[in-house]
Amino acid sequence: MHIIKNIRLHQNVDGGQNLLLEGCGSTVVELVGLTRFARVALGSKPLTILYFPFRIGRLSRTDLSSSAKQDLLLPDNQPYSISRNHVVFERENGKVFLVDLDSSCGTIVDNIAIGQKDRGEGRVELSCGQHTIAIGGADSPFLFQATVRTMKPADSLAIDNDIPDKFPQARMLYAKLCQYEQNLLNNRELSPQERGMAAEGMVRVIVSRPDLLELLQRLASNPVSGSDYLAQHSVNVTIFSIVLFKNLEYPQDDMVKIAAATLLHDIGMQDIDRAVFLKNTTLTAEEYGVIKRHTEIGGELLRCSDDVCSVAAALARDHHERIDKSGYPRGINILSDVTRFVGILDCYEAITHDRPQRPAFLPPEAMRILAASNNTAFDPGTRKAFVNVFSFYPVSSVVKLDTGEIGQVVGVTQGQPLAPTVRILTAADGTPDVEQRLVDLSRL
Ligand SMILES: [Fe+2]
């Protein structure tokens, strides 16, 4: 009994769209109102500021039309006369600053007056910890406590363990990872170290849930990409890399570093013209040249000396290099194991997912392309390890056997990429198989 046909299966992974979009910066500010007026301004709840700059302004009666520009508006109580753009939180190189350049009444931060208009300091750094901020001087009715803290990915990637089934948990984690990745790739303020830390934190959340890894792999194999396919592609390749390197028995710390680097491999795309990147017709040679630049840009964006960054910078620069020198940007053929493995996973993910220019290939078709002995872009060792772990028929593929029965792949046998274990769903005549027998094709 052999598989003769692979059937495309679409899964709905849109369940996470209602999740809040959360920032991936390493610092956040939590603002709590200490007075009744301040609490009313915050809507009675603590406010977590993820995006910077964030303004707190007094609403001027003469300037109501532009109030929409404000992040937080306070009611203007006469006789207070404070400029509308009163205080701005800013983030720079991972640090948080409170800025008061224009107000006529100044600001009190930790009992120190600031306010450039009063010839004082225009801005003050808020170190991690608690700060007391009075908007409009010592007699202000608007008193806040601002807590600056480092945000851990686990804070925003936490999933609801009360959900009884694993699949909704995996789907929630997958959706959050994609949203988090979207911010990580698009946030231009982050330093290389911050990017590395954020990516490593995300990977540690994934590896802390080995019970969800197979389900995450199924979600990553869904050929339909969401609105930001670059973020989804990066998360998918990362999940595949965790599966691969785990199977290859890499030490956990090495695997985490490699997977964190994988999350960042396409970060150079942030500087590529979106119109070229999202073009839905064939790219011209000139446009392809523009796309190729993402490798060198990514290498530069991640250049720093710490562990994760140096792996990530090399991978961002080299993941399109091939051992037959057909790759870019340098056309080199001496490549690390990490570069060769992530290179093939990157290709596999791209081929098996829809792109603006073409629909997805089925996994067996992609395997045939990548594992072919005449594919000189990848060495035999890389191809063999990849095929053994991922198989021609990945878990969750729906397949038709030569008996006419239809089933779903539920397990892959190492070293037997053409003979997975299949759960029989329907008999040859289409009637449901009530027993849902398991057939290990490697034993036939
Ligand atoms: Fe790339």
Side-chain angles (χ1 to χ4, degrees):
M1 186 158 35
H2 301 290
I3 291 170
I4 58 170
K5 193 176 177 189
N6 190 273
I7 300 168
R8 190 183 293 267
L9 177 70
H10 288 271
Q11 293 164 328
N12 176 19
V13 292
D14 293 329
Q17 281 184 349
N18 293 329
L19 295 167
L20 285 174
L21 192 65
E22 291 164 331
C24 67
S26 59
T27 46
V28 291
V29 175
E30 287 164 342
L31 207 57
V32 176
L34 296 180
T35 58
R36 184 169 63 86
F37 294 102
R39 281 196 292 275
V40 168
L42 292 172
S44 301
K45 292 179 181 168
L47 182 72
T48 303
I49 303 169
L50 300 164
Y51 295 102
F52 297 73
F54 183 90
R55 296 167 192 274
I56 303 176
R58 296 291 296 270
L59 178 63
S60 162
R61 292 182 195 284
T62 59
D63 197 16
L64 290 169
S65 60
S66 57
S67 61
K69 292 177 187 169
Q70 299 296 322
D71 292 308
L72 176 64
L73 289 168
L74 311 173
D76 190 17
N77 295 335
Q78 297 293 347
Y80 293 103
S81 176
I82 304 173
S83 69
R84 188 174 56 81
N85 292 328
H86 188 87
V87 180
V88 181
F89 285 103
E90 284 183 352
R91 182 169 55 204
E92 192 178 298
N93 296 327
K95 296 175 180 172
V96 175
F97 295 88
L98 192 73
V99 182
D100 179 350
L101 298 178
D102 298 319
S103 81
S104 53
C105 294
T107 302
I108 307 288
V109 183
D110 300 335
N111 293 321
I112 300 167
I114 70 164
Q116 204 169 43
K117 205 163 184 178
D118 299 329
R119 297 197 186 90
E121 288 294 319
R123 70 182 209 162
V124 62
E125 182 186 337
L126 300 180
S127 55
C128 281
Q130 289 187 351
H131 305 275
T132 306
I133 300 171
I135 309 290
D139 300 325
S140 167
F142 297 105
L143 200 61
F144 296 92
Q145 179 181 288
T147 304
V148 179
R149 68 177 177 87
T150 301
M151 191 166 78
K152 300 185 191 87
D155 294 347
S156 53
L157 292 175
I159 53 176
D160 186 353
N161 284 315
D162 291 338
I163 298 173
D165 296 326
K166 297 280 186 207
F167 192 68
Q169 285 188 23
R171 203 164 62 175
M172 181 182 284
L173 178 57
Y174 180 78
K176 285 192 169 198
L177 286 166
C178 290
Q179 289 170 346
Y180 210 83
E181 178 71 8
Q182 195 173 7
N183 291 318
L184 184 58
L185 294 181
N186 294 327
N187 191 334
R188 290 165 183 275
E189 290 183 26
L190 299 176
S191 65
Q193 289 90 342
E194 288 177 308
R195 290 190 167 110
M197 275 171 51
E200 187 178 335
M202 289 169 70
V203 171
R204 289 204 183 276
V205 171
I206 301 173
V207 298
S208 73
R209 293 298 304 264
D211 56 323
L212 299 183
L213 187 57
E214 188 183 306
L215 296 170
L216 288 172
Q217 188 186 349
R218 281 170 55 182
L219 291 163
S221 300
N222 179 8
V224 181
S225 296
S227 55
D228 188 329
Y229 77 77
L230 182 64
Q232 208 168 333
H233 163 75
S234 302
V235 169
N236 293 345
V237 181
T238 301
I239 290 168
F240 291 163
S241 76
I242 292 171
V243 172
L244 180 74
F245 290 108
K246 198 172 173 186
N247 269 279
L248 296 178
E249 298 182 348
Y250 273 50
Q252 170 123 332
D253 282 351
D254 291 352
M255 186 181 75
V256 168
K257 262 182 235 162
I258 296 165
T262 307
L263 273 175
L264 298 166
H265 75 280
D266 267 341
I267 197 163
M269 285 290 190
Q270 72 171 222
D271 279 0
I272 302 299
D273 183 354
R274 304 300 279 180
V276 176
F277 175 59
L278 297 172
K279 192 180 170 191
N280 58 9
T281 53
T282 309
L283 296 175
T284 64
E286 191 180 340
E287 288 166 339
Y288 188 44
V290 171
I291 294 281
K292 283 178 169 180
R293 288 186 51 234
H294 80 279
T295 50
E296 284 166 310
I297 295 169
E300 281 303 306
L301 281 172
L302 295 168
R303 199 148 62 114
C304 78
S305 56
D306 80 26
D307 259 12
V308 172
C309 280
S310 52
V311 177
L315 187 62
R317 187 193 58 202
D318 295 339
H319 67 279
H320 288 286
E321 299 285 6
R322 301 291 178 254
I323 57 152
D324 59 2
K325 298 189 178 180
S326 63
Y328 60 89
R330 295 181 289 165
I332 56 172
N333 65 343
I334 309 277
L335 306 174
S336 68
D337 290 353
V338 172
T339 303
R340 286 183 283 117
F341 281 128
V342 177
I344 202 167
L345 296 175
D346 183 35
C347 279
Y348 176 70
E349 200 282 345
I351 294 172
T352 54
H353 287 75
D354 292 339
R355 285 291 179 269
Q357 311 88 349
R358 53 148 182 84
F361 287 73
L362 289 168
E365 295 168 338
M367 281 290 178
R368 258 173 228 121
I369 295 167
L370 295 172
S373 56
N374 61 355
N375 184 347
T376 54
F378 300 101
D379 61 284
T382 301
R383 284 191 263 119
K384 188 175 175 198
F386 166 64
V387 170
N388 278 342
V389 173
F390 282 83
S391 141
F392 277 79
Y393 301 98
V395 171
S396 87
S397 299
V398 176
V399 295
K400 186 176 183 183
L401 308 184
D402 57 3
T403 56
E405 295 164 304
I406 289 178
Q408 185 164 29
V409 176
V410 294
V412 170
T413 308
Q414 293 298 306
Q416 297 275 0
L418 289 166
T421 300
V422 175
R423 186 189 303 283
I424 304 298
L425 301 175
T426 66
D429 62 3
T431 54
D433 186 314
V434 285
E435 288 178 24
Q436 300 210 339
R437 284 173 300 122
L438 288 180
V439 178
D440 184 349
L441 296 175
S442 68
R443 290 174 179 266
L444 297 179

